[in-house]
Amino acid sequence: IQFNGELYNEEIDTNGVHENDVKFILNTLESLLQDCIKNNINDEKIVEECLIKTIGKLEGEFAYAITDKISNKIYFGKDQLGKKSLAFCVKNDSAEEGCELFISSIVPSDEAQKEFFCECKNAIIYVFDLESHILNEINFDDKEDLPKSYTVKNFIAGSNDNEDFSEKELIN
């Protein structure tokens, strides 16, 4: 697990001390997996479903990358507001070298590399299969275990032509 952010879940605070966010993520994931094992749920997609539920339980602003060594997949993305930066690049060098995934907390400043990186969209879980080299997306809005994404409509930063911001439609 790689994590950049701040979680606000009440369960993380113990005796007035904020515990480790990564430890909370790992414990949540392990607990969900143990519940599935206890209930004899042994589906090939169970790790992915538990990962989705874990991400859905996280409250805060964050970016993450989680490697599942069993299914050979890397899950990465940002929370539903997407304040933390997270960029990626899938590079195909040659048939011999195969395909590589690069994940970075910032887009490289080098112009030659910059053009290959994409900033992750908020409220999307990216799933990169290390065997097939296919990159898929799971949209928060498509899964009931994930919070819905937020978009402010009709707001232009710095414009005096905006309607009263309190009247803006917040889609969730």
Side-chain angles (χ1 to χ4, degrees):
I1 298 174
Q2 293 179 321
F3 179 83
N4 176 20
E6 184 68 35
L7 294 180
Y8 307 126
N9 297 67
E10 289 180 18
E11 304 94 329
I12 299 174
D13 292 330
T14 313
N15 300 323
V17 176
H18 190 82
E19 297 293 330
N20 186 301
D21 291 343
V22 174
K23 185 176 179 181
F24 173 76
I25 295 168
L26 183 59
N27 289 343
T28 302
L29 179 57
E30 286 177 341
S31 175
L32 289 168
L33 287 168
Q34 288 300 323
D35 287 347
C36 289
I37 291 168
K38 227 185 286 182
N39 295 320
N40 292 322
I41 301 171
N42 193 12
D43 185 295
E44 64 182 45
K45 299 278 268 175
I46 201 64
V47 173
E48 183 170 291
E49 290 303 317
C50 288
L51 267 165
I52 290 169
K53 286 180 181 179
T54 298
I55 292 166
K57 291 180 180 288
L58 304 181
E59 299 170 10
E61 51 190 69
F62 54 87
Y64 60 89
I66 302 171
T67 303
D68 176 5
K69 292 182 179 182
I70 295 170
S71 68
N72 284 320
K73 292 181 181 176
I74 298 174
Y75 298 82
F76 61 98
K78 304 193 291 189
D79 64 84
Q80 69 267 33
L81 294 176
K83 285 185 168 185
K84 297 291 181 186
S85 177
L86 189 67
F88 70 96
C89 168
V90 178
K91 190 174 179 185
N92 291 312
D93 280 337
S94 68
E96 292 174 7
E97 293 182 33
C99 184
E100 292 182 288
L101 171 68
F102 297 91
I103 303 172
S104 176
S105 61
I106 58 169
V107 174
S109 59
D110 179 89
E111 291 299 322
Q113 293 180 7
K114 189 177 194 175
E115 67 181 271
F116 298 107
F117 275 80
C118 298
E119 181 70 28
C120 292
K121 299 176 208 167
N122 61 310
I124 298 288
I125 300 173
Y126 294 88
V127 184
F128 184 73
D129 188 309
L130 293 166
E131 292 174 6
S132 68
H133 303 130
I134 294 174
L135 180 66
N136 289 307
E137 296 179 2
I138 300 170
N139 190 311
F140 277 32
D141 294 336
D142 296 338
K143 293 287 186 176
E144 65 183 47
D145 293 318
L146 294 169
K148 300 304 170 214
S149 61
Y150 295 100
T151 305
V152 177
K153 288 180 76 173
N154 303 325
F155 183 79
I156 302 169
S159 173
N160 292 328
D161 296 330
N162 289 314
E163 302 164 24
D164 179 20
F165 184 73
S166 63
E167 295 177 7
K168 293 294 167 210
E169 180 181 357
L170 193 61
I171 300 172
N172 62 8

